[in-house]
Amino acid sequence: MKLRVKVDHETYSALKEVEGEYREVLEEAINYGLSNETTSFTRIKAGIYKTEREKYKDLPSHFIYTACEDASERLDSFEKLKKRGRAYTEKPSVRRVTVHLDDHLWKFSLDTISISTKRSRVFISPTFPKIFWRYYNKGWSIASEARFRLLKGNVVEFYVIFKRDVKPYEPKGFIPVDLNEDSVSVLVDGKPTLLETNTKKITLGYEYRRKAITTGRSTKDREVRGKLKRLRERDKKVDVRRKLAKLIVKEAFESRSVIVLEDLPGRTPEHMIKDVKDKQLRLRIYRAAFSSMKNAIIEKAREFGVPVLLVNPSHTSTVCPVHGTKIVYQPDGGDAPRVGVCGKGKERWHRDVVALYNLKKRAGDVSPVPLGS
């Protein structure tokens, strides 16, 4: 949870001094990890701790520990991006710094939050929003780790992390979830339900706005950059994903069910658009963020203690779950026909509905498939 607090100049200066030395330790830790081809926190700490401790004698030693943890996370993330071909630099660059804190470096109370600095502790008094009290009063506890970032105008952005021990339950059924570009389909009590996301409209709407802003002008222009920065496409999509994830997880939690999802790889959009020639469709698929929707559901499921089962995503919408034969989708004037016919039984299947039954079948449910009209 993010808290923003405006502090006095003396407090801000003390935190700024810590941030500067933390950045230098972080950069050294990243360089050590790269030169020694390791992302291990233990190895990085063992390699640089003695040198950095002698260099920054006034800095509390646990900042060196947390900087090494930060470096380990950044290097691990960079390696994953590199494997996917999404890394555009030779090594991870430290542009923005969020200082990591462990239980030795900060103390929490409802009155003040104290943070260790080079000479003493500083105290900040945040105003807690309603969502903070919602978690705080419902059995959530505050984790031992936290983070802070410094903004302009003597503002400290503080991140408090909540945690809760969740007891797993014995599942009584399955709720398969199929992710699509403009909708999410869910099978609840044998009834397919389609939840519209409007991702297509959001994507195209913001793309048209970007073109209107940049046509005939350079993206280096200050006014253009300001207008592009104020666009909120990502925020809107994140909001939709979180709301849908909560709806699905709450339904699974109340019915004591397992959520069944396709085990989508990280390169899903690249794989889906490789044979698509329509530029607009390629853009829509690429920005649909299937993996982000999957991750939002998994993250919310962890919060509620709902089990999630990932199954093979191949051919879930093209194979009949009853006869195991291919479903033939005839062109209907659109880019992707939604209704097809089973090659053997001749029954009609909607692409999103058949995917749900196949996901449920792959999860281990072999009950008879109810067929609609």
Side-chain angles (χ1 to χ4, degrees):
M1 181 171 297
K2 185 165 60 177
L3 307 171
R4 285 188 177 177
V5 190
K6 188 164 186 177
V7 298
D8 57 63
H9 179 71
E10 185 179 351
T11 300
Y12 189 85
S13 299
L15 293 175
K16 187 71 176 176
E17 195 175 15
V18 167
E19 184 201 48
E21 295 192 2
Y22 179 92
R23 175 190 285 271
E24 292 174 7
V25 176
L26 176 61
E27 289 175 344
E28 287 296 324
I30 289 174
N31 291 333
Y32 180 87
L34 288 171
S35 60
N36 290 273
E37 298 181 349
T38 181
T39 62
S40 166
F41 157 69
T42 307
R43 288 185 61 187
I44 293 172
K45 180 172 73 71
I48 72 162
Y49 178 77
K50 188 176 180 180
T51 305
E52 299 304 310
R53 192 76 191 97
E54 291 176 357
K55 192 187 297 185
Y56 305 104
K57 293 180 180 179
D58 295 332
L59 186 71
S61 62
H62 281 262
F63 278 115
I64 300 175
Y65 296 164
T66 57
C68 291
E69 287 178 347
D70 192 353
S72 175
E73 291 173 8
R74 288 172 184 254
L75 288 167
D76 187 55
S77 177
F78 180 77
E79 286 299 317
K80 288 177 181 177
L81 289 174
K82 202 172 181 180
K83 286 179 182 177
R84 297 176 192 168
R86 302 283 297 276
Y88 305 111
T89 56
E90 294 183 0
K91 67 175 187 177
S93 56
V94 181
R95 288 179 291 180
R96 292 193 301 178
V97 171
T98 302
V99 181
H100 292 218
L101 305 170
D102 62 15
D103 55 349
H104 293 268
L105 297 173
W106 78 295
K107 299 296 178 185
F108 174 84
S109 74
L110 293 176
D111 296 325
T112 57
I113 295 173
S114 68
I115 305 172
S116 294
T117 62
K118 291 182 67 176
R119 295 171 189 83
S120 62
R121 283 183 172 268
V122 296
F123 299 89
I124 61 175
S125 301
T127 301
F128 299 109
K130 288 182 180 178
I131 192 170
F132 173 89
W133 298 110
R134 191 185 306 166
Y135 281 100
Y136 191 80
N137 294 324
K138 286 190 176 181
W140 290 79
S141 58
I142 294 174
S144 59
E145 64 271 10
R147 300 177 185 184
F148 76 82
R149 186 160 69 98
L150 300 180
L151 306 178
K152 293 179 180 179
N154 290 1
V155 174
V156 179
E157 196 168 69
F158 198 86
Y159 298 86
V160 177
I161 301 168
F162 281 96
K163 65 178 182 179
R164 182 173 67 177
D165 294 328
V166 180
K167 296 180 181 178
Y169 55 78
E170 187 66 30
K172 296 180 180 179
F174 297 95
I175 293 185
V177 180
D178 182 49
L179 309 178
N180 302 288
E181 179 214 346
D182 208 32
S183 64
V184 175
S185 51
V186 187
L187 188 66
V188 181
D189 295 330
K191 297 178 181 179
T193 304
L194 198 68
L195 306 172
E196 293 185 356
T197 61
N198 284 328
T199 303
K200 176 181 174 180
K201 287 184 179 180
I202 294 172
T203 299
L204 294 180
Y206 276 98
E207 185 62 20
Y208 296 147
R209 289 178 68 180
R210 284 191 192 91
K211 284 185 178 179
I213 292 169
T214 57
T215 300
R217 305 182 68 177
S218 171
T219 53
K220 295 181 180 179
D221 183 275
R222 185 174 180 179
E223 185 182 352
V224 172
R225 283 191 289 114
K227 287 181 178 180
L228 291 174
K229 193 175 181 180
R230 286 192 291 273
L231 296 179
R232 292 290 180 265
E233 179 181 0
R234 181 179 179 275
D235 294 341
K236 284 193 174 183
K237 289 181 177 178
V238 167
D239 183 58
V240 170
R241 285 197 288 267
R242 286 176 177 171
K243 287 175 178 175
L244 283 175
K246 189 173 182 180
L247 279 173
I248 294 165
V249 171
K250 285 188 74 174
E251 178 62 38
F253 179 76
E254 290 170 2
S255 62
R256 291 296 189 262
S257 301
V258 178
I259 295 175
V260 184
L261 290 169
E262 294 177 323
D263 189 9
L264 300 173
R267 294 177 63 86
T268 299
E270 290 91 335
H271 174 73
M272 293 177 70
I273 66 175
K274 64 180 180 181
D275 297 323
V276 178
K277 296 180 180 179
D278 187 338
K279 288 184 179 180
Q280 188 187 96
L281 183 58
R282 287 170 65 90
L283 173 75
R284 283 163 33 205
I285 293 173
Y286 195 82
R287 292 189 183 169
F290 297 99
S291 293
S292 296
M293 184 70 239
K294 180 192 78 172
N295 293 336
I297 294 172
I298 293 173
E299 184 180 340
K300 184 59 70 172
R302 285 178 185 153
E303 183 180 320
F304 281 80
V306 174
V308 176
L309 181 62
L310 300 178
V311 300
N312 187 351
S314 62
H315 308 297
T316 52
S317 59
T318 57
V319 175
C320 174
V322 179
H323 303 102
T325 54
K326 187 176 180 180
I327 297 174
V328 180
Y329 293 96
Q330 295 294 339
D332 60 358
D335 296 320
R338 310 307 296 169
V339 179
V341 179
C342 171
K344 183 178 180 181
K346 304 303 179 184
E347 65 269 14
R348 290 164 63 82
W349 285 102
H350 190 282
R351 181 181 291 270
D352 300 338
V353 175
V354 72
L356 294 174
Y357 289 124
N358 277 322
L359 288 173
K360 191 174 183 182
K361 192 175 178 181
R362 291 181 187 184
D365 191 329
V366 292
S367 58
V369 179
L371 296 178
S373 60

